[in-house]
Amino acid sequence: MNPRISIIIPVYNGQPYLTKTLSCLQNQSFQDFQVIFVDDDSTDGSADFLREVVATDSRFTLLCQPHQGAGAARNYGLTAATGDYILFSDCDDLLQPNALETLYQAACTADA
């Protein structure tokens, strides 16, 4: 079954932020989502850190690409997205615990 929300997160040397970002995602009140991290050829160990994460949580996926910038990373992430809705986020964004639930309910109410 496809997730309701696909979250695409470009990552370039974002290791200092990833632990908090992951915690915010894992603790969402709405759990029917997938996260697609797209490593943009980081040199700080971000990809290694994310490989460990995706090995422990099936909702998380890691794609890697040569350094092309955030826009190309988002487009690459779209190729793996299977959700009804797409959310673009950055690796240093912190979502409130009910953010996905609020966004999903608003989209459904508006028949978006």
Side-chain angles (χ1 to χ4, degrees), residues 14 21 29 37 48 53 60 64 81 87:
T21 299
S29 58
F37 290 102
D48 293 332
V53 170
F60 295 88
C64 296
L87 173 67

Side-chain angles (χ1 to χ4, degrees), residues 8-15 18 21 36-47 50 62-63 65 67 69-70 73-74 89-92:
I8 299 171
I9 303 177
V11 178
Y12 180 71
N13 293 340
Q15 189 173 16
L18 291 174
T21 299
I36 303 161
F37 290 102
V38 182
D39 183 72
D40 195 33
D41 207 18
S42 295
T43 60
D44 69 346
S46 293
L50 291 169
L62 174 62
L63 303 177
Q65 69 176 23
H67 187 59
R74 287 183 183 97
S89 188
D90 291 318
C91 67
D92 60 349

